Amino acid sequence: SGPFEARAAYTWLDAVYADDFGTIAAGNRLPGVPKEQFYAEGAWRHAPWGLRVGLEFLHRSRVPVNDLNSEFAASFAVVNAVIGLEQRGAGWRLSEFLRVDNLGDKSYVGSVIVNDGNGRFYEPAPQRNVLLGVQATALVGIAAADGVVATSCVLLFGAASGMMTLERATIVVEWYGRATFGAHQGRLAAVTSTARAASPFVVEAGH
């Protein structure tokens, strides 16, 4: 595949009213829906370092903000940059990344409030902003535990995974059961998912 990669996506959506509806004329565009959107991404990888450097481009056509199509949010095009590193080991993975969104520091409308009664249709997008993040993934093997002990371990690690997600990190739990792995796999996966879903509420309750 080589050190370079690229992808692109183009969307064209002709979302209009087919018939007259009250004061809305047939052919008016549905508010909040851009007719065109184009996304492209190019990246370079250096596998020995686990390095990835990429650029993203996003263009969106103008967007009607009300059914009458009397106002539109202007079209825009922005460029984002991202650089990341990844380290892998036996049963673990650590990745760090730095993103700079809206590299050109443009002022544009990021979203609209459709048919707002006060005419406050436009919500500005963030100007140039920087995001620095770290994601850690670890595989935890529980080889000897069985029954209630194994379930408790997975529940505990699942809750930890959900709480860690709040800090942009995750723990992946995998139970390496011996003869009974197949029989317990579905139950343990369900328990882990439940714990991860419930953990943010536990964290909030503790604040």
Side-chain angles (χ1 to χ4, degrees):
S1 60
F4 295 98
E5 60 184 45
R7 62 177 65 96
Y10 174 74
T11 303
W12 184 83
L13 182 60
D14 191 25
V16 299
Y17 286 97
D19 303 300
D20 293 339
F21 183 74
T23 58
I24 306 169
N28 276 15
R29 299 196 56 77
L30 291 181
V33 180
K35 186 174 184 178
E36 295 179 275
Q37 181 167 293
F38 175 72
Y39 173 83
E41 178 185 2
W44 174 77
R45 291 182 181 273
H46 185 62
W49 296 357
L51 174 67
R52 183 181 184 275
V53 180
L55 285 175
E56 303 168 352
F57 173 80
L58 174 65
H59 165 76
R60 187 175 297 159
S61 62
R62 68 176 191 158
V63 177
V65 298
N66 56 18
D67 290 316
L68 299 178
N69 290 183
S70 59
E71 291 192 42
F72 288 78
S75 63
F76 68 86
V78 292
V79 176
N80 309 317
V82 60
I83 182 170
L85 287 169
E86 183 178 278
Q87 303 83 43
R88 290 174 177 265
W92 62 270
R93 184 176 69 220
L94 182 66
S95 54
E96 309 85 21
F97 67 89
L98 173 68
R99 283 189 63 88
V100 182
D101 290 323
N102 192 0
L103 203 58
D105 200 24
K106 289 190 173 183
S107 297
Y108 66 97
V109 176
S111 59
V112 299
I113 302 173
V114 172
N115 291 321
D116 185 80
N118 295 315
R120 299 178 184 145
F121 303 116
Y122 309 105
E123 296 185 319
Q127 292 187 289
R128 183 187 299 119
N129 59 96
V130 178
L131 175 63
L132 180 65
V134 177
Q135 183 176 45
T137 303
L139 298 180
V140 182
I142 306 171
D146 203 356
V148 176
V149 176
T151 302
S152 300
C153 289
V154 173
L155 179 63
L156 194 61
F157 282 114
S161 176
M163 287 184 278
M164 290 285 286
T165 300
L166 298 178
E167 302 300 327
R168 298 186 177 276
T170 58
I171 296 176
V172 178
V173 179
E174 193 166 304
W175 179 44
Y176 297 100
R178 291 175 179 170
T180 57
F181 174 76
H184 289 301
Q185 186 178 16
R187 175 169 60 87
L188 293 175
V191 171
T192 304
S193 299
T194 303
R196 292 193 64 182
S199 59
F201 300 100
V202 175
V203 173
E204 288 300 320
H207 284 169

